[in-house]
């Protein structure tokens, strides 16, 4: 009974910690905290339409074709096509944000997400880095700029996400550890860009 409960909790944490869901929730939180309601809705809808829904649509399409087993895309080789699609989409989305001269915080926020995805693509040739872990640690590190208490909470949740990936046997210790290091490292790139520009 205890093992089933632990597995259920790990599944719940892992599901909430999926990069698409967690990234969307973090972006919505920042949008409504930093901007007025109208601007926050505009930024949120732009993110959902321009980035989140296309990735979800791509995942559903690949699952229906039988290329992917689930939203996690656990197979290391099959992840390459997801990375390529995401990199191209993020590059276009980033270009759009700069073209329409979006707010500096938002423009700076998309760059680390792009860099993390690009880095993960190249690392994936050798090791299947945990995207759940890397993305959660990236968001936690970026959140320092917005609110330190939220960042601290996010770090705690990121640790739980990493543990859940190990408990569910989706990743090994090196894959989770590398994800955490990558997320924190690229998170500090965000702070550098935000403070000093590019």
């Amino acid at each position: 009974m205890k093992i089933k409960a632990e597995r259920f909790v790990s599944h719940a944490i892992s599901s909430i910690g999926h990069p698409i869901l967690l990234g969307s929730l973090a972006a919505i939180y920042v949008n409504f905290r930093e901007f007025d309601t109208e601007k926050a809705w505009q930024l949120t809808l732009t993110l959902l339409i321009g980035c989140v829904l296309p990735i979800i649509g791509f995942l559903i399409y690949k699952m229906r074709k039988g290329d992917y087993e689930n939203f996690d895309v656990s197979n290391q080789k099959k992840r390459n096509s997801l990375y390529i699609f995401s990199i191209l989409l993020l590059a276009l989305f980033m270009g759009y944000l700069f073209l329409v001269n979006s707010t500096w915080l938002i423009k700076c926020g998309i760059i680390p997400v792009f860099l993390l995805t690009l880095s993960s693509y190249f690392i994936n040739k050798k090791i299947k880095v945990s995207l759940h872990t890397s993305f959660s640690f990236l968001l936690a590190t970026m959140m320092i700029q917005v609110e330190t208490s939220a960042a601290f909470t996010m770090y705690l949740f990121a640790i739980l996400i990493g543990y859940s990936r190990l408990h569910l046997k989706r990743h090994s210790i090196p894959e989770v550890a590398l994800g955490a290091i990558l997320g924190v490292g690229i998170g500090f790139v965000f702070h550098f860009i935000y403070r000093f520009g590019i």
Side-chain angles (χ1 to χ4, degrees):
M1 191 70 174
K2 184 184 175 185
I3 294 171
K4 282 186 177 180
E6 285 177 2
R7 192 162 179 81
F8 174 80
V9 171
S10 290
H11 266 296
I13 291 169
S14 196
S15 296
I16 296 166
H18 192 284
I20 295 172
L21 178 58
L22 192 62
S24 298
L25 292 173
I28 291 166
Y29 171 77
V30 171
N31 288 345
F32 281 91
R33 188 185 185 283
E34 295 295 308
F35 306 104
D36 63 70
T37 306
E38 185 180 343
K39 183 71 173 174
W41 276 114
Q42 178 197 350
L43 291 168
T44 299
L45 289 173
T46 301
L47 172 70
L48 292 175
I49 294 167
C51 212
V52 176
L53 291 178
I55 291 175
I56 291 172
F58 180 78
L59 285 167
I60 291 170
Y61 168 74
K62 293 295 253 181
M63 285 169 64
R64 284 187 177 166
K65 271 185 69 179
D67 293 342
Y68 298 164
E69 292 81 32
N70 52 42
F71 264 66
D72 288 350
V73 193
S74 298
N75 183 291
Q76 188 175 349
K77 287 183 180 178
K78 290 181 179 181
R79 270 194 180 188
N80 284 334
S81 59
L82 175 61
Y83 281 129
I84 291 167
F85 177 82
S86 299
I87 289 164
L88 292 173
L89 181 67
L90 285 167
L92 288 171
F93 190 66
M94 189 165 47
Y96 170 78
L97 291 176
F98 277 84
L99 188 68
V100 299
N101 200 24
S102 187
T103 63
W104 186 234
L105 179 64
I106 301 302
K107 287 191 286 190
C108 291
I110 195 68
I111 294 170
V113 174
F114 174 78
L115 290 176
L116 180 70
T117 309
L118 186 65
S119 302
S120 299
Y121 168 71
F122 288 110
I123 292 169
N124 192 58
K125 296 177 189 302
K126 296 288 183 184
I127 184 172
K128 187 183 75 170
V129 66
S130 170
L131 277 178
H132 281 68
T133 308
S134 63
F135 210 81
S136 60
F137 274 94
L138 171 70
L139 293 173
T141 307
M142 290 170 67
M143 198 68 74
I144 294 169
Q145 184 67 44
V146 178
E147 186 181 333
T148 51
S149 60
F152 178 74
T153 304
M154 190 65 214
Y155 273 121
L156 292 177
F157 190 55
I159 291 167
L160 289 175
I161 289 170
Y163 175 77
S164 76
R165 302 309 286 167
L166 292 171
H167 188 260
L168 294 171
K169 298 187 178 4
R170 296 289 175 88
H171 287 283
S172 64
I173 291 174
E175 291 169 347
V176 168
L178 181 58
I181 292 165
L182 189 64
V184 171
I186 294 178
F188 281 109
V189 170
F190 162 77
H191 293 286
F192 179 83
I193 294 169
Y194 186 78
R195 185 166 294 181
F196 300 109
I198 43 176

PDB file of all heavy atoms in Angstrom, residues 47 51 89-95 97-98 104-117 138 142 190:
ATOM      1  N   LEU A  47       1.792  33.373 -25.537  1.00  0.00           N
ATOM      2  CA  LEU A  47       2.576  32.188 -25.198  1.00  0.00           C
ATOM      3  C   LEU A  47       1.826  30.909 -25.542  1.00  0.00           C
ATOM      4  O   LEU A  47       2.384  29.995 -26.154  1.00  0.00           O
ATOM      5  CB  LEU A  47       2.922  32.197 -23.706  1.00  0.00           C
ATOM      6  CG  LEU A  47       3.584  30.928 -23.164  1.00  0.00           C
ATOM      7  CD1 LEU A  47       4.998  30.792 -23.693  1.00  0.00           C
ATOM      8  CD2 LEU A  47       3.577  30.917 -21.647  1.00  0.00           C
ATOM      9  N   CYS A  51       3.387  29.076 -28.725  1.00  0.00           N
ATOM     10  CA  CYS A  51       4.387  28.113 -28.286  1.00  0.00           C
ATOM     11  C   CYS A  51       3.801  26.836 -27.679  1.00  0.00           C
ATOM     12  O   CYS A  51       4.116  25.740 -28.119  1.00  0.00           O
ATOM     13  CB  CYS A  51       5.307  28.809 -27.269  1.00  0.00           C
ATOM     14  SG  CYS A  51       6.975  28.219 -27.289  1.00  0.00           S
ATOM     15  N   LEU A  89      10.573  26.060 -33.276  1.00  0.00           N
ATOM     16  CA  LEU A  89       9.423  26.824 -32.785  1.00  0.00           C
ATOM     17  C   LEU A  89       9.868  27.934 -31.837  1.00  0.00           C
ATOM     18  O   LEU A  89       9.421  29.082 -31.949  1.00  0.00           O
ATOM     19  CB  LEU A  89       8.429  25.893 -32.088  1.00  0.00           C
ATOM     20  CG  LEU A  89       7.167  26.558 -31.541  1.00  0.00           C
ATOM     21  CD1 LEU A  89       6.288  27.073 -32.684  1.00  0.00           C
ATOM     22  CD2 LEU A  89       6.374  25.582 -30.677  1.00  0.00           C
ATOM     23  N   LEU A  90      10.756  27.604 -30.907  1.00  0.00           N
ATOM     24  CA  LEU A  90      11.243  28.602 -29.950  1.00  0.00           C
ATOM     25  C   LEU A  90      12.023  29.711 -30.641  1.00  0.00           C
ATOM     26  O   LEU A  90      11.938  30.877 -30.258  1.00  0.00           O
ATOM     27  CB  LEU A  90      12.106  27.930 -28.875  1.00  0.00           C
ATOM     28  CG  LEU A  90      11.342  27.131 -27.820  1.00  0.00           C
ATOM     29  CD1 LEU A  90      12.294  26.256 -27.012  1.00  0.00           C
ATOM     30  CD2 LEU A  90      10.538  28.035 -26.903  1.00  0.00           C
ATOM     31  N   ALA A  91      12.783  29.352 -31.667  1.00  0.00           N
ATOM     32  CA  ALA A  91      13.531  30.368 -32.426  1.00  0.00           C
ATOM     33  C   ALA A  91      12.563  31.338 -33.109  1.00  0.00           C
ATOM     34  O   ALA A  91      12.763  32.559 -33.066  1.00  0.00           O
ATOM     35  CB  ALA A  91      14.439  29.696 -33.450  1.00  0.00           C
ATOM     36  N   LEU A  92      11.509  30.798 -33.705  1.00  0.00           N
ATOM     37  CA  LEU A  92      10.497  31.640 -34.352  1.00  0.00           C
ATOM     38  C   LEU A  92       9.778  32.501 -33.322  1.00  0.00           C
ATOM     39  O   LEU A  92       9.544  33.697 -33.547  1.00  0.00           O
ATOM     40  CB  LEU A  92       9.488  30.775 -35.116  1.00  0.00           C
ATOM     41  CG  LEU A  92       9.981  30.118 -36.396  1.00  0.00           C
ATOM     42  CD1 LEU A  92       8.961  29.117 -36.916  1.00  0.00           C
ATOM     43  CD2 LEU A  92      10.281  31.171 -37.453  1.00  0.00           C
ATOM     44  N   PHE A  93       9.427  31.903 -32.204  1.00  0.00           N
ATOM     45  CA  PHE A  93       8.711  32.621 -31.143  1.00  0.00           C
ATOM     46  C   PHE A  93       9.592  33.727 -30.559  1.00  0.00           C
ATOM     47  O   PHE A  93       9.127  34.843 -30.328  1.00  0.00           O
ATOM     48  CB  PHE A  93       8.274  31.638 -30.059  1.00  0.00           C
ATOM     49  CG  PHE A  93       7.336  32.227 -29.048  1.00  0.00           C
ATOM     50  CD1 PHE A  93       6.059  32.630 -29.409  1.00  0.00           C
ATOM     51  CD2 PHE A  93       7.718  32.381 -27.733  1.00  0.00           C
ATOM     52  CE1 PHE A  93       5.176  33.178 -28.476  1.00  0.00           C
ATOM     53  CE2 PHE A  93       6.864  32.920 -26.791  1.00  0.00           C
ATOM     54  CZ  PHE A  93       5.587  33.323 -27.169  1.00  0.00           C
ATOM     55  N   MET A  94      10.868  33.403 -30.359  1.00  0.00           N
ATOM     56  CA  MET A  94      11.806  34.397 -29.847  1.00  0.00           C
ATOM     57  C   MET A  94      11.948  35.548 -30.839  1.00  0.00           C
ATOM     58  O   MET A  94      11.936  36.719 -30.450  1.00  0.00           O
ATOM     59  CB  MET A  94      13.169  33.725 -29.600  1.00  0.00           C
ATOM     60  CG  MET A  94      14.170  34.565 -28.883  1.00  0.00           C
ATOM     61  SD  MET A  94      15.580  33.583 -28.255  1.00  0.00           S
ATOM     62  CE  MET A  94      16.020  32.589 -29.667  1.00  0.00           C
ATOM     63  N   GLY A  95      12.058  35.212 -32.123  1.00  0.00           N
ATOM     64  CA  GLY A  95      12.140  36.242 -33.159  1.00  0.00           C
ATOM     65  C   GLY A  95      10.914  37.139 -33.155  1.00  0.00           C
ATOM     66  O   GLY A  95      11.028  38.365 -33.283  1.00  0.00           O
ATOM     67  N   LEU A  97       8.926  37.783 -30.570  1.00  0.00           N
ATOM     68  CA  LEU A  97       8.956  38.645 -29.379  1.00  0.00           C
ATOM     69  C   LEU A  97       9.876  39.845 -29.572  1.00  0.00           C
ATOM     70  O   LEU A  97       9.566  40.956 -29.140  1.00  0.00           O
ATOM     71  CB  LEU A  97       9.395  37.843 -28.152  1.00  0.00           C
ATOM     72  CG  LEU A  97       8.422  36.794 -27.630  1.00  0.00           C
ATOM     73  CD1 LEU A  97       9.025  36.020 -26.467  1.00  0.00           C
ATOM     74  CD2 LEU A  97       7.090  37.418 -27.226  1.00  0.00           C
ATOM     75  N   PHE A  98      11.001  39.632 -30.239  1.00  0.00           N
ATOM     76  CA  PHE A  98      11.919  40.740 -30.490  1.00  0.00           C
ATOM     77  C   PHE A  98      11.375  41.655 -31.579  1.00  0.00           C
ATOM     78  O   PHE A  98      11.545  42.870 -31.531  1.00  0.00           O
ATOM     79  CB  PHE A  98      13.314  40.219 -30.860  1.00  0.00           C
ATOM     80  CG  PHE A  98      14.148  39.876 -29.660  1.00  0.00           C
ATOM     81  CD1 PHE A  98      14.021  38.639 -29.032  1.00  0.00           C
ATOM     82  CD2 PHE A  98      15.049  40.796 -29.138  1.00  0.00           C
ATOM     83  CE1 PHE A  98      14.782  38.323 -27.920  1.00  0.00           C
ATOM     84  CE2 PHE A  98      15.819  40.487 -28.021  1.00  0.00           C
ATOM     85  CZ  PHE A  98      15.685  39.248 -27.408  1.00  0.00           C
ATOM     86  N   TRP A 104      11.158  43.641 -21.898  1.00  0.00           N
ATOM     87  CA  TRP A 104      12.508  43.115 -21.722  1.00  0.00           C
ATOM     88  C   TRP A 104      12.510  41.830 -20.894  1.00  0.00           C
ATOM     89  O   TRP A 104      13.229  40.877 -21.203  1.00  0.00           O
ATOM     90  CB  TRP A 104      13.385  44.187 -21.073  1.00  0.00           C
ATOM     91  CG  TRP A 104      14.834  43.829 -20.953  1.00  0.00           C
ATOM     92  CD1 TRP A 104      15.574  43.843 -19.822  1.00  0.00           C
ATOM     93  CD2 TRP A 104      15.722  43.421 -21.997  1.00  0.00           C
ATOM     94  NE1 TRP A 104      16.865  43.469 -20.086  1.00  0.00           N
ATOM     95  CE2 TRP A 104      16.988  43.191 -21.421  1.00  0.00           C
ATOM     96  CE3 TRP A 104      15.570  43.202 -23.365  1.00  0.00           C
ATOM     97  CZ2 TRP A 104      18.101  42.776 -22.147  1.00  0.00           C
ATOM     98  CZ3 TRP A 104      16.680  42.779 -24.099  1.00  0.00           C
ATOM     99  CH2 TRP A 104      17.920  42.575 -23.497  1.00  0.00           C
ATOM    100  N   LEU A 105      11.687  41.766 -19.858  1.00  0.00           N
ATOM    101  CA  LEU A 105      11.611  40.570 -19.022  1.00  0.00           C
ATOM    102  C   LEU A 105      11.196  39.350 -19.839  1.00  0.00           C
ATOM    103  O   LEU A 105      11.777  38.267 -19.701  1.00  0.00           O
ATOM    104  CB  LEU A 105      10.625  40.792 -17.867  1.00  0.00           C
ATOM    105  CG  LEU A 105      10.416  39.614 -16.908  1.00  0.00           C
ATOM    106  CD1 LEU A 105      11.703  39.276 -16.172  1.00  0.00           C
ATOM    107  CD2 LEU A 105       9.302  39.915 -15.914  1.00  0.00           C
ATOM    108  N   ILE A 106      10.214  39.507 -20.697  1.00  0.00           N
ATOM    109  CA  ILE A 106       9.706  38.397 -21.514  1.00  0.00           C
ATOM    110  C   ILE A 106      10.735  37.989 -22.557  1.00  0.00           C
ATOM    111  O   ILE A 106      10.979  36.799 -22.782  1.00  0.00           O
ATOM    112  CB  ILE A 106       8.360  38.769 -22.181  1.00  0.00           C
ATOM    113  CG1 ILE A 106       7.312  39.118 -21.114  1.00  0.00           C
ATOM    114  CG2 ILE A 106       7.861  37.654 -23.082  1.00  0.00           C
ATOM    115  CD1 ILE A 106       7.027  38.028 -20.106  1.00  0.00           C
ATOM    116  N   LYS A 107      11.358  38.971 -23.207  1.00  0.00           N
ATOM    117  CA  LYS A 107      12.377  38.660 -24.206  1.00  0.00           C
ATOM    118  C   LYS A 107      13.552  37.924 -23.572  1.00  0.00           C
ATOM    119  O   LYS A 107      14.079  36.974 -24.142  1.00  0.00           O
ATOM    120  CB  LYS A 107      12.870  39.936 -24.900  1.00  0.00           C
ATOM    121  CG  LYS A 107      11.858  40.515 -25.882  1.00  0.00           C
ATOM    122  CD  LYS A 107      12.448  41.611 -26.740  1.00  0.00           C
ATOM    123  CE  LYS A 107      12.651  42.889 -25.972  1.00  0.00           C
ATOM    124  NZ  LYS A 107      12.997  44.028 -26.845  1.00  0.00           N
ATOM    125  N   CYS A 108      13.953  38.384 -22.387  1.00  0.00           N
ATOM    126  CA  CYS A 108      15.053  37.718 -21.672  1.00  0.00           C
ATOM    127  C   CYS A 108      14.646  36.327 -21.202  1.00  0.00           C
ATOM    128  O   CYS A 108      15.483  35.432 -21.116  1.00  0.00           O
ATOM    129  CB  CYS A 108      15.474  38.547 -20.466  1.00  0.00           C
ATOM    130  SG  CYS A 108      16.284  40.066 -20.892  1.00  0.00           S
ATOM    131  N   GLY A 109      13.368  36.151 -20.902  1.00  0.00           N
ATOM    132  CA  GLY A 109      12.889  34.874 -20.384  1.00  0.00           C
ATOM    133  C   GLY A 109      12.887  33.759 -21.414  1.00  0.00           C
ATOM    134  O   GLY A 109      13.099  32.591 -21.073  1.00  0.00           O
ATOM    135  N   ILE A 110      12.667  34.101 -22.682  1.00  0.00           N
ATOM    136  CA  ILE A 110      12.589  33.064 -23.715  1.00  0.00           C
ATOM    137  C   ILE A 110      13.981  32.563 -24.120  1.00  0.00           C
ATOM    138  O   ILE A 110      14.136  31.412 -24.537  1.00  0.00           O
ATOM    139  CB  ILE A 110      11.787  33.566 -24.955  1.00  0.00           C
ATOM    140  CG1 ILE A 110      11.376  32.399 -25.860  1.00  0.00           C
ATOM    141  CG2 ILE A 110      12.560  34.597 -25.737  1.00  0.00           C
ATOM    142  CD1 ILE A 110      10.365  31.474 -25.270  1.00  0.00           C
ATOM    143  N   ILE A 111      14.992  33.397 -23.975  1.00  0.00           N
ATOM    144  CA  ILE A 111      16.346  33.020 -24.397  1.00  0.00           C
ATOM    145  C   ILE A 111      16.867  31.798 -23.623  1.00  0.00           C
ATOM    146  O   ILE A 111      17.343  30.837 -24.238  1.00  0.00           O
ATOM    147  CB  ILE A 111      17.312  34.219 -24.298  1.00  0.00           C
ATOM    148  CG1 ILE A 111      16.900  35.299 -25.303  1.00  0.00           C
ATOM    149  CG2 ILE A 111      18.761  33.780 -24.556  1.00  0.00           C
ATOM    150  CD1 ILE A 111      17.636  36.624 -25.132  1.00  0.00           C
ATOM    151  N   PRO A 112      16.795  31.787 -22.278  1.00  0.00           N
ATOM    152  CA  PRO A 112      17.263  30.595 -21.557  1.00  0.00           C
ATOM    153  C   PRO A 112      16.474  29.328 -21.885  1.00  0.00           C
ATOM    154  O   PRO A 112      17.042  28.238 -21.908  1.00  0.00           O
ATOM    155  CB  PRO A 112      17.083  30.974 -20.081  1.00  0.00           C
ATOM    156  CG  PRO A 112      17.053  32.447 -20.070  1.00  0.00           C
ATOM    157  CD  PRO A 112      16.418  32.858 -21.358  1.00  0.00           C
ATOM    158  N   VAL A 113      15.179  29.465 -22.136  1.00  0.00           N
ATOM    159  CA  VAL A 113      14.370  28.297 -22.509  1.00  0.00           C
ATOM    160  C   VAL A 113      14.891  27.735 -23.836  1.00  0.00           C
ATOM    161  O   VAL A 113      15.045  26.516 -23.998  1.00  0.00           O
ATOM    162  CB  VAL A 113      12.874  28.664 -22.612  1.00  0.00           C
ATOM    163  CG1 VAL A 113      12.056  27.494 -23.140  1.00  0.00           C
ATOM    164  CG2 VAL A 113      12.347  29.123 -21.256  1.00  0.00           C
ATOM    165  N   PHE A 114      15.191  28.632 -24.770  1.00  0.00           N
ATOM    166  CA  PHE A 114      15.755  28.219 -26.058  1.00  0.00           C
ATOM    167  C   PHE A 114      17.119  27.553 -25.850  1.00  0.00           C
ATOM    168  O   PHE A 114      17.395  26.492 -26.407  1.00  0.00           O
ATOM    169  CB  PHE A 114      15.886  29.435 -26.984  1.00  0.00           C
ATOM    170  CG  PHE A 114      16.581  29.131 -28.281  1.00  0.00           C
ATOM    171  CD1 PHE A 114      15.919  28.491 -29.309  1.00  0.00           C
ATOM    172  CD2 PHE A 114      17.917  29.479 -28.467  1.00  0.00           C
ATOM    173  CE1 PHE A 114      16.556  28.201 -30.511  1.00  0.00           C
ATOM    174  CE2 PHE A 114      18.569  29.195 -29.655  1.00  0.00           C
ATOM    175  CZ  PHE A 114      17.886  28.554 -30.681  1.00  0.00           C
ATOM    176  N   LEU A 115      17.985  28.177 -25.037  1.00  0.00           N
ATOM    177  CA  LEU A 115      19.328  27.637 -24.795  1.00  0.00           C
ATOM    178  C   LEU A 115      19.275  26.281 -24.108  1.00  0.00           C
ATOM    179  O   LEU A 115      20.062  25.379 -24.428  1.00  0.00           O
ATOM    180  CB  LEU A 115      20.144  28.613 -23.943  1.00  0.00           C
ATOM    181  CG  LEU A 115      20.556  29.922 -24.619  1.00  0.00           C
ATOM    182  CD1 LEU A 115      21.277  30.837 -23.629  1.00  0.00           C
ATOM    183  CD2 LEU A 115      21.448  29.661 -25.830  1.00  0.00           C
ATOM    184  N   LEU A 116      18.341  26.116 -23.167  1.00  0.00           N
ATOM    185  CA  LEU A 116      18.198  24.837 -22.477  1.00  0.00           C
ATOM    186  C   LEU A 116      17.777  23.745 -23.453  1.00  0.00           C
ATOM    187  O   LEU A 116      18.320  22.635 -23.435  1.00  0.00           O
ATOM    188  CB  LEU A 116      17.174  24.954 -21.349  1.00  0.00           C
ATOM    189  CG  LEU A 116      16.931  23.668 -20.550  1.00  0.00           C
ATOM    190  CD1 LEU A 116      18.148  23.327 -19.701  1.00  0.00           C
ATOM    191  CD2 LEU A 116      15.712  23.798 -19.674  1.00  0.00           C
ATOM    192  N   THR A 117      16.822  24.060 -24.323  1.00  0.00           N
ATOM    193  CA  THR A 117      16.344  23.085 -25.303  1.00  0.00           C
ATOM    194  C   THR A 117      17.446  22.728 -26.291  1.00  0.00           C
ATOM    195  O   THR A 117      17.654  21.550 -26.615  1.00  0.00           O
ATOM    196  CB  THR A 117      15.108  23.638 -26.050  1.00  0.00           C
ATOM    197  OG1 THR A 117      14.146  24.089 -25.096  1.00  0.00           O
ATOM    198  CG2 THR A 117      14.471  22.580 -26.929  1.00  0.00           C
ATOM    199  N   LEU A 138      15.694  25.449 -13.951  1.00  0.00           N
ATOM    200  CA  LEU A 138      15.813  26.686 -14.738  1.00  0.00           C
ATOM    201  C   LEU A 138      14.781  27.708 -14.254  1.00  0.00           C
ATOM    202  O   LEU A 138      15.120  28.867 -13.991  1.00  0.00           O
ATOM    203  CB  LEU A 138      15.596  26.394 -16.218  1.00  0.00           C
ATOM    204  CG  LEU A 138      15.476  27.616 -17.138  1.00  0.00           C
ATOM    205  CD1 LEU A 138      16.818  28.337 -17.267  1.00  0.00           C
ATOM    206  CD2 LEU A 138      14.950  27.219 -18.512  1.00  0.00           C
ATOM    207  N   MET A 142      15.470  31.336 -12.520  1.00  0.00           N
ATOM    208  CA  MET A 142      14.961  32.550 -13.158  1.00  0.00           C
ATOM    209  C   MET A 142      14.012  33.304 -12.220  1.00  0.00           C
ATOM    210  O   MET A 142      13.955  34.529 -12.241  1.00  0.00           O
ATOM    211  CB  MET A 142      14.231  32.200 -14.469  1.00  0.00           C
ATOM    212  CG  MET A 142      15.162  31.728 -15.570  1.00  0.00           C
ATOM    213  SD  MET A 142      14.278  31.061 -17.007  1.00  0.00           S
ATOM    214  CE  MET A 142      13.480  32.523 -17.631  1.00  0.00           C
ATOM    215  N   PHE A 190      20.177  33.818 -17.723  1.00  0.00           N
ATOM    216  CA  PHE A 190      19.030  34.732 -17.749  1.00  0.00           C
ATOM    217  C   PHE A 190      19.322  35.993 -16.939  1.00  0.00           C
ATOM    218  O   PHE A 190      19.069  37.109 -17.381  1.00  0.00           O
ATOM    219  CB  PHE A 190      17.781  34.032 -17.198  1.00  0.00           C
ATOM    220  CG  PHE A 190      16.678  34.967 -16.790  1.00  0.00           C
ATOM    221  CD1 PHE A 190      15.866  35.557 -17.743  1.00  0.00           C
ATOM    222  CD2 PHE A 190      16.461  35.263 -15.451  1.00  0.00           C
ATOM    223  CE1 PHE A 190      14.851  36.429 -17.372  1.00  0.00           C
ATOM    224  CE2 PHE A 190      15.448  36.129 -15.067  1.00  0.00           C
ATOM    225  CZ  PHE A 190      14.644  36.714 -16.037  1.00  0.00           C
TER     226      PHE A 190
END
